Amino acid sequence: MLIRFFTLFFLFLSLAAPSLAQSADPKSLIDQLAKANFKQAEDLLMQIAATGDTRVVPALEAFAEGDLYFRKSDNVVFIAKPAGSKLSLIDPLTGEGVAEVAKSAVTKIKVNNNLRRAIRSALGGLTLLSPDRAIRLQAAQQVLQSPSAENLDLVEAALAKETDAEVKARMEEARAVSLLTSDRPIEDKRAAIETLKSKGGRDAISVLGGALGSADEELRPDLEAAIASIEDTLVFWDMAQNVWYGVSLGSVLLLAAIGLAITFGVMGIINMAHGEMVMLGAYSTFVVQQVIRTSYPGLFDWSLAIALPVAFLVTGAVGFAIERGVIRFLYGRPLETLLATWGISLILQQAIRSIFGPTNQEVGNPSWMSGSFPVGGMTITWNRLWIVVFALSIFFTLLVVMKKSAYGLNMRAVTQNRRMASSMGIRTPWVDALTFALGSGIAGIAGVALSQIDNVSPNLGQSYIIDSFMVVVFGGVGNLWGTLVGALSLGVLNKFLEPSVGAVLGKILVLVLIILFIQKRPRGLFALKGRAVEA
C-alpha cells in the first residue's frame, strides 16, 4: 500500500513538474494570453509579474498600447510593428526581430481599461527593483495609482533595499495603498491609514474613499477620521495657496503702480501712457534676449540682469522726453493732460506694432526662474517668488532714495507744498521732469519682471493701468507704504473673489469697494500730511 502511494505521488510530481515549470516561464505565460479572455488575462498578468523577470516589461508595454499579437498558425505571441504593408514580429522577451508576415496571419490581443490598470500595476511591481532611481520612482508612483495586493510582497522587498529618501517615501505610500487592498491584519491597515493621512492630498482622499466602500466596520471610523483630517488640511492649504497667489499678484501690481504713485503724487498728472512704459520695458527685455541668443548664448541666464538697466534707461528717456515735450505745457489742465497721455499711449502702441508686429513675442525664462517647488500643500513657482523678492527690493530701494537722498528730499518737498519748495530755491520743473523719468524707468523695470509671467505684446500695459490707478488711489496718492499695502490688499482680495464670482465680476466688486472706501476716506489709506491747497 505504501509502495503504491509513493508510486502515485511520484507519478503526480512527474506530471505536475512540467506544468509548474511552464507556469513559472514568462514566455509560456505570455503565449497563454493568445486565447485568454479578459479575466484570464488579468490572472496571467499577476503570474507574469510574480516571475520578477524584467524582460517582460516591453511585452506588457506593448500589450497596453495594443501592439501585442498572436500568430494564428501556432498561437505564439509577438510584439508587432508596422513594416510597410506587413507586420514585423518581435520576440516579446529578447526584442529580436523574428519575421515579417501579412497582417492576416496574426490577430491582435484585445485589451480593455481593466487590463490596462492591471498592466500598470504589474509594470510598477516589476520595475521597483530597477538600478535606475528614476525608474524606481516612476514604478512606485504606478503602484500608488494602481494598488494591488499581489504587488505587496514585491513592494516590501523593494522598500527594504531602498536607500534614496524620496523613492523610499513614495514606496512607503505605495505599500500603504496596497495594504488596504490586502488581507493583512487590521493593525497593519490602521498603520497604512496613518501613512496616507500623513501624506495628505487629494490622491490620499481618493484612495481612502475607495477603501471605505469595502472596509470592515471596525476600520471604517479610522478611514472617515483620516479623510476628514486631510480635508481640513486641504482647506487650510487652499487658503494659503490663494494668499500666495494674491501676494504674487500684488507684487505685480506694486511694480506696475509704484512709478505711477510717484508721478501722480508729485505732479498730479493722470498719465494714461504709464502702461506703455511697462510695455516698453518688456520689449527691451525681448531685444536684449534676442541679441544674447544670436551673439552670446552662454549669457542667457544673465539676460534679465542685463535687461534691467537697459529697460530703465530706455523708458526713463522716453518719460523725460514726454514730460519735456508735452506734459510741461499742460500743468493745471488735467483733462487735456489725460487726453494727451492717452494719445501718446496709442502712438507708442502703434510704433511697437510697426517695429515688432502685432503678435506676442517670446521672452524666455532663465534657468533660475524656471520650475516650482512644494511648500506643505501648495506649490510655489520660482518666477513668481523672484518677482515678489524683486518688487520688494525695488520698493525698499526707492524708499531709501526718497528718505535719504537730496533728490528724494526735493521730491518730497514738491509733493507736500510746491509753492513753498519753489520759494526755497528748488527747481520744481526739473524735479517734475526727473520724477516723471524716474516713474517711467521704474515702470520699465516692471516690464522686465512682467515679461516672465505675461504675454509680451503691444497691449501688455493696458492690462495693468486701471489696476495701478486703483492701487494708488486706495493706498494714498504719493505714499509708497500706501502703494505697498494697497497692492498686496487688492491682490489677495482679487484672488479670494475670483473662485466664487469670476475674474470679471471680481474686479467690478473690487472697484465698487474702493469707491465706497474713497467716499469715507478720500485721501486713501495713508494720506500725506501738510500738503497745501495751491491757487
Side-chain angles (χ1 to χ4, degrees):
M1 184 70 179
L2 188 60
I3 295 173
R4 189 175 180 183
F5 169 78
F6 278 110
T7 303
L8 290 172
F9 177 73
F10 284 115
L11 180 60
F12 169 77
L13 285 181
S14 64
L15 293 173
S19 176
L20 291 171
Q22 184 182 28
S23 66
D25 176 22
K27 181 64 172 71
S28 174
L29 292 171
I30 291 173
D31 286 341
Q32 290 179 45
L33 291 171
K35 293 300 182 181
N37 56 34
F38 289 144
K39 182 63 176 70
Q40 292 169 339
E42 285 190 48
D43 295 336
L44 286 169
L45 284 171
M46 295 176 190
Q47 295 176 49
I48 292 170
T51 65
D53 192 334
T54 56
R55 294 180 302 163
V56 303
V57 169
L60 296 183
E61 291 175 342
F63 192 12
E65 295 168 3
D67 291 335
L68 209 60
Y69 289 73
F70 69 89
R71 192 161 50 194
K72 294 179 181 179
S73 60
D74 53 10
N75 292 333
V76 176
V77 173
F78 298 94
I79 299 172
K81 298 292 183 182
S85 60
K86 295 185 177 182
L87 288 177
S88 175
L89 301 184
I90 301 169
D91 188 283
L93 291 184
T94 65
E96 297 177 354
V98 176
E100 290 186 2
V101 297
K103 294 180 180 179
S104 58
V106 293
T107 300
K108 178 186 288 189
I109 301 176
K110 295 181 180 179
V111 61
N112 61 10
N113 288 335
N114 288 335
L115 278 177
R116 288 190 180 93
R117 281 193 290 270
I119 292 169
R120 284 198 301 269
S121 177
L123 284 171
L126 282 167
T127 50
L128 282 170
L129 297 172
S130 170
D132 190 320
R133 176 192 178 277
I135 293 176
R136 296 198 309 275
L137 185 62
Q138 184 180 8
Q141 185 64 37
Q142 287 175 339
V143 175
L144 191 59
Q145 293 173 349
S146 304
S148 172
E150 286 75 17
N151 283 331
L152 185 54
D153 291 337
L154 189 56
V155 171
E156 290 178 333
L159 185 58
K161 297 180 180 179
E162 187 57 57
T163 55
D164 185 278
E166 183 183 0
V167 178
K168 190 168 187 175
R170 194 59 54 85
M171 284 186 178
E172 286 174 349
E173 296 165 6
R175 176 182 178 273
V177 298
S178 299
L179 263 172
L180 291 179
T181 65
S182 71
D183 55 358
R184 294 284 182 89
I186 196 167
E187 291 77 13
D188 291 346
K189 293 186 177 182
R190 283 200 173 106
I193 291 171
E194 287 300 316
T195 300
L196 292 171
K197 177 182 172 182
S198 63
K199 172 186 179 288
R202 304 190 189 281
D203 290 341
I205 289 180
S206 177
V207 172
L208 293 170
L212 190 61
S214 58
D216 299 333
E217 288 300 323
E218 191 177 358
L219 203 60
R220 188 175 292 273
D222 298 273
L223 289 166
E224 291 173 346
I227 291 172
S229 175
I230 295 173
E231 287 176 342
D232 291 342
T233 304
L234 284 176
V235 169
F236 169 79
W237 283 114
D238 284 345
M239 291 182 63
Q241 186 78 69
N242 274 337
V243 170
W244 166 249
Y245 285 152
V247 169
S248 62
L249 174 61
S251 67
V252 171
L253 294 178
L254 176 64
L255 282 172
I258 196 169
L260 189 64
I262 296 172
T263 55
F264 194 19
V266 173
M267 306 166 66
I269 296 296
I270 302 176
N271 179 19
M272 296 301 293
H274 185 77
E276 277 54 53
M277 300 298 108
V278 175
M279 178 262 292
L280 288 177
Y283 272 93
S284 298
T285 309
F286 167 72
V287 171
V288 167
Q289 286 197 351
Q290 286 297 100
V291 172
I292 289 176
R293 281 192 178 104
T294 54
S295 303
Y296 312 99
L299 294 176
F300 187 80
D301 275 352
W302 293 90
S303 60
L304 295 188
I306 298 170
L308 285 174
V310 171
F312 181 82
L313 292 174
V314 168
T315 54
V318 172
F320 186 86
I322 291 173
E323 197 281 335
R324 290 287 85 188
V326 178
I327 292 176
R328 72 188 179 107
F329 301 109
L330 300 175
Y331 287 130
R333 298 154 64 184
L335 181 59
E336 286 89 338
T337 306
L338 186 149
L339 293 173
T341 53
W342 181 54
I344 291 170
S345 75
L346 296 179
I347 292 171
L348 291 174
Q349 286 183 45
Q350 189 55 48
I352 291 297
R353 286 192 183 93
S354 300
I355 297 171
F356 297 101
T359 57
N360 296 341
Q361 300 296 337
E362 179 188 359
V363 174
N365 292 105
S367 59
W368 49 274
M369 287 191 75
S370 302
S372 62
F373 61 96
V375 174
M378 64 181 187
T379 301
I380 295 180
T381 55
W382 281 109
N383 59 354
R384 288 280 183 176
L385 177 62
W386 282 117
I387 286 176
V388 171
V389 173
F390 178 67
L392 293 177
S393 300
I394 294 295
F395 172 81
F396 286 110
T397 301
L398 191 58
L399 203 63
V400 170
V401 170
M402 295 285 286
K403 296 290 185 183
K404 302 297 182 181
S405 68
Y407 168 70
L409 182 62
N410 291 342
M411 188 189 302
R412 287 161 55 206
V414 173
T415 302
Q416 293 177 9
N417 194 316
R418 179 179 291 273
R419 286 182 178 275
M420 181 63 72
S422 179
S423 67
M424 295 296 292
I426 296 174
R427 301 176 64 185
T428 56
W430 282 105
V431 170
D432 288 338
L434 293 176
T435 300
F436 202 88
L438 176 64
S440 300
I442 293 172
I445 291 176
V448 177
L450 291 178
S451 70
Q452 300 299 296
I453 60 173
D454 208 340
N455 294 324
V456 177
S457 70
N459 299 320
L460 171 64
Q462 297 301 306
S463 305
Y464 296 96
I465 184 66
I466 301 301
D467 287 338
S468 298
F469 273 113
M470 287 198 294
V471 167
V472 171
V473 173
F474 176 62
V477 175
N479 191 298
L480 293 184
W481 283 108
T483 305
L484 173 66
V485 174
L488 296 181
S489 300
L490 293 183
V492 172
L493 182 60
N494 263 314
K495 286 303 175 182
F496 274 95
L497 287 175
E498 282 180 8
S500 54
V501 300
V504 176
L505 187 55
K507 285 186 178 295
I508 294 173
L509 288 176
V510 170
L511 179 60
V512 170
L513 291 173
I514 289 177
I515 292 172
L516 295 176
F517 175 81
I518 295 301
Q519 295 298 313
K520 296 293 183 182
R521 198 176 177 89
R523 293 191 176 184
L525 283 173
F526 300 92
L528 287 176
K529 297 179 181 179
R531 189 177 182 112
V533 177
E534 300 180 19

